[in-house]
Amino acid sequence: MLSANDNALLTKVGPGTIMGDFMRQFWVPAVLSAELPGPDSYPVRLRLLCEDLIAFRDTNGEVGLVDNFCPHRRASLFFGRNEECGLRCVYHGWKFDINGDCVDMPSEPAESNFKDKVKVKAYPTRERGGVVWTYMGPRSELPPLPDLEANMLPDGEWAVSTIMRSCNFVQALEGDIDTSHLGFLHLGSVDPEGAVPGSYDYYTVNIRSPRYKVIDTDYGTTYAAYREAEPDTYYWRFAHFLMPFWAMIPTGVLGVQVLARGWVPIDDEHTMFWNMVVPSTRAGGGQGGAGAPRQGVNIDGKSGATDYLPNGTGWLDRWNLAANAGNDYRIDREAQKTNQNYTGIDGITLQDQVITESMGAISERTKEHLGTSDTMVIKTRQRLMHGAKELQEGIEPIAVDHPELYAIRSGGVILPKETDWLEGTEELRKAFVKHPGLTANK
């Protein structure tokens, strides 16, 4: 368990908070490129790290991310006119470019230089792989974007999608670094006799209590959960936490699977889940695609649409699932009772959503009782808090200036028992490496 003070340190991300300052050292996914479909398209309300912002694409196709409030009389720029390389407040016509500079102030005399003295807060942006990234930190010389393989490949190979989750980012992230729940939450109804012998699912349900190796790394933390496969082998599941909110899950084949999953804080009680994936590297995956997630590949890595509510224009009205707390996530109690479905909840993504949201907006970690299966969760909390506290002492996180640290892969692998878990997987854990003898299905 954590103390109340440590839980607050870990989960509060607004401006001036210890974790909020830490988050702002890194590039943050802000909005899908597809949500700003063309030059001078409609502005989008965007809450990020407890800040209310407006995203817009200007006449030249560049993306601006500015404060919601016009610095004149604090009217919302969401209602502004997106025209001629700037967002114009409709109250008095003040116009701001993507850098936050006031480029027109028609309500003041022509000879006035007041506009040269006024700015709106603006954050720099970069676009890559269907994602608009932003840097909200203090540096004037921007750090490099992280080398996340799934966000760096040619169009047509990747898919990107997002889902709103109504809880703090930490408990959402922790679902991705907790491997033991796979054998219950997602595979609880699977009997070993019903699984394909030699498959990863078979090994998972045959031994539902794996053992762990967990280490600190320059990018965050890594774990490998292992269990007996055949008499002379272990089935290993490698997964990573990467600063400050990234996870790479172990459900695919190590050396093949290419993905990154971001748990980006909207505010202290809401998280935007970013799923970047190369579908062809995931079992059952199809072709990748750009654009809105309705048209891409769903979060579970299988072809098809995700069941969303229609997007609205409010701060929390984007990418909400149709199955939600308001309808008990469409739980099927009969399927649960008869063990057709262990949870009665349809789909891995939704099962995870149910559990993490059911903990409350911010989990009360002072009342937890953690076991050996929580080793990675404990280590990752410590790593995050340590990094944030170090920043307060003037020590910046190493990963900010070393994008190559993010060039890794996760997944499962069968190894002889005598093989060292790190040395034996060194090549398989490297990104941008092809292994012709491996396939996505296991």
Side-chain angles (χ1 to χ4, degrees), residues 242-281:
L242 305 96
M243 299 287 192
F245 42 59
W246 295 99
M248 293 184 180
I249 58 175
T251 51
V253 174
L254 186 64
V256 177
Q257 175 175 258
V258 178
L259 55 69
R261 292 157 65 94
W263 299 97
V264 179
I266 296 171
D267 53 33
D268 294 340
E269 299 184 351
H270 299 87
T271 301
M272 190 63 78
F273 169 38
W274 285 82
N275 190 59
M276 303 172 185
V277 63
V278 177
S280 63
T281 70

Side-chain angles (χ1 to χ4, degrees), residues 214-250:
V214 183
I215 57 172
D216 285 332
T217 65
D218 286 339
Y219 52 77
T221 52
T222 281
Y223 79 77
Y226 64 105
R227 65 195 89 201
E228 189 114 351
E230 303 306 323
D232 57 346
T233 59
Y234 287 128
Y235 165 42
W236 292 85
R237 288 166 53 84
F238 282 79
H240 316 289
F241 159 69
L242 305 96
M243 299 287 192
F245 42 59
W246 295 99
M248 293 184 180
I249 58 175

Side-chain angles (χ1 to χ4, degrees), residues 126 247 263 352 362 417:
R126 299 285 185 272
W263 299 97
D352 287 332
I362 301 177
K417 287 184 175 179

Side-chain angles (χ1 to χ4, degrees), residues 31 35-46 53-67 77-78 80-88 95-101 120-123 125 127 132:
V31 65
E35 294 183 78
L36 303 168
D40 297 330
S41 52
Y42 300 144
V44 173
R45 283 193 181 100
L46 188 67
L53 306 168
I54 303 298
F56 70 100
R57 191 180 296 277
D58 74 5
T59 310
N60 294 329
E62 300 295 320
V63 175
L65 190 61
V66 300
D67 189 11
L77 288 173
F78 172 75
R81 297 169 59 93
N82 189 6
E83 58 186 19
E84 298 174 345
C85 288
L87 192 59
R88 188 184 297 276
K95 181 179 175 183
F96 302 91
D97 66 12
I98 61 171
N99 300 312
D101 296 323
V120 66
K121 179 173 63 179
Y123 291 121
T125 65
E127 280 192 84
V132 177

Side-chain angles (χ1 to χ4, degrees), residues 116-192:
D116 299 328
K117 303 176 182 180
V118 177
K119 288 179 67 76
V120 66
K121 179 173 63 179
Y123 291 121
T125 65
R126 299 285 185 272
E127 280 192 84
R128 191 179 71 184
V131 178
V132 177
W133 297 76
T134 189
Y135 178 73
M136 302 171 70
R139 296 190 186 188
S140 55
E141 185 174 339
L142 301 179
L145 287 171
D147 287 353
L148 291 168
E149 184 178 11
N151 185 241
M152 299 176 69
L153 298 178
D155 288 351
E157 294 187 23
W158 52 263
V160 59
S161 50
T162 54
I163 288 179
M164 175 80 74
R165 189 166 289 190
S166 295
C167 67
N168 181 263
F169 87 97
V170 180
Q171 67 208 60
L173 166 70
E174 287 174 352
D176 267 5
I177 57 173
D178 168 12
T179 190
S180 68
H181 82 266
L182 175 67
F184 301 93
L185 183 68
H186 305 314
L187 297 175
S189 295
V190 178
D191 188 277

Side-chain angles (χ1 to χ4, degrees), residues 408-428:
I408 57 175
R409 290 178 179 169
S410 62
V413 63
I414 307 296
L415 295 176
K417 287 184 175 179
E418 65 273 14
T419 300
D420 181 83
W421 66 289
L422 283 176
E423 292 180 3
T425 59
E426 183 175 358
E427 288 300 311
L428 294 176

Side-chain angles (χ1 to χ4, degrees), residues 285-325:
Q287 294 299 310
R294 298 173 197 276
Q295 305 302 321
V297 172
N298 72 16
I299 303 301
D300 295 333
K302 300 175 182 178
S303 301
T306 300
D307 190 8
Y308 290 94
L309 294 173
N311 274 1
T313 59
W315 299 111
L316 302 174
D317 288 344
R318 298 165 44 248
W319 310 121
N320 286 285
L321 294 181
N324 53 61

